[in-house]
Amino acid sequence: MFKIGITGTRNGGTLPQLAGLATLLKMVNERESTVELHHGDCEGVDWQAAIFASKMDIHTVCHPPVDESLRAFHESDTILPQLNHFARNRNIVEACDILIVIPYQDEWQPRGGTWYTHDYAVKKGVDVAIIELSGTIRWDRGTEKAERTAGENPDGDRRQD
């Protein structure tokens, strides 16, 4: 089974970003016999990706946050126990073969859950596909050491998500 993780902006992806997401999901779904999408069930990119995956008959796995204020409540195939945002994001990374990142801005940011999750994935050796605002996909290979460590936070409780 091939597992895809998703992280991204709560504002939702741009149309080019969503086209890139659809292309990546379709490519993986055609190549692999069984695919799962792991998402954090927040408004925006999490919800958009879960909807795309469901329409492609990709099994969806929800990692819901304890803070439900921005939760999307997607009716996923599997719903895991609620965790704080950073613990949930780490679990998504640890479950996936590849992480798709759809950020609000193309440049790395020192705050927020999207770039924290990106950094954690690179640190853990997971390949990361960043879909830029233009829809361009760039890769951060998990086999290479991340140059910046500002996103590291072992307990995950100090940065805002």
Side-chain angles (χ1 to χ4, degrees), residues 1-160:
M1 176 174 305
F2 192 85
K3 298 177 184 181
I4 301 168
I6 187 81
T7 187
T9 174
R10 291 184 183 139
N11 294 315
T14 64
L15 289 178
Q17 284 175 315
L18 295 177
L21 172 63
T23 298
L24 277 176
L25 290 176
K26 182 179 179 195
M27 182 181 68
V28 171
N29 202 28
E30 289 174 352
R31 188 185 74 204
E32 302 292 333
S33 59
T34 309
V35 180
E36 278 186 353
L37 176 83
H38 290 252
H39 67 90
D41 200 33
C42 279
E43 296 173 355
V45 166
D46 289 349
W47 179 78
Q48 291 169 323
I51 294 295
F52 280 23
S54 293
K55 290 184 182 221
M56 294 179 185
D57 291 322
I58 294 173
H59 184 90
T60 54
V61 179
C62 174
H63 296 252
V66 172
D67 176 1
E68 295 184 345
S69 61
L70 296 172
R71 188 165 171 198
F73 292 96
H74 181 265
E75 292 186 21
S76 295
D77 299 304
T78 302
I79 300 177
L80 300 174
Q82 293 174 290
L83 295 170
N84 76 53
H85 286 284
F86 290 103
R88 174 230 25 209
N89 292 348
R90 289 189 301 271
N91 282 355
I92 291 170
V93 167
E94 290 168 7
C96 71
D97 298 301
I98 183 175
L99 180 71
I100 299 174
V101 177
I102 302 179
Y104 182 71
Q105 60 284 88
D106 290 336
E107 299 80 29
W108 179 86
Q109 301 294 309
R111 306 189 96 160
T114 300
W115 290 105
Y116 167 86
T117 307
H118 162 275
D119 292 350
Y120 187 75
V122 171
K123 178 182 171 189
K124 289 295 188 177
V126 174
D127 287 339
V128 178
I130 301 166
I131 305 177
E132 297 178 341
L133 298 173
S134 66
T136 300
I137 299 170
R138 73 180 150 91
W139 292 88
D140 278 348
R141 298 290 179 188
T143 55
E144 299 173 10
K145 196 72 173 161
E147 290 182 18
R148 58 185 169 275
T149 59
E152 292 182 26
N153 184 353
D155 62 5
D157 295 329
R158 293 192 190 109
R159 290 179 55 176
Q160 294 185 7

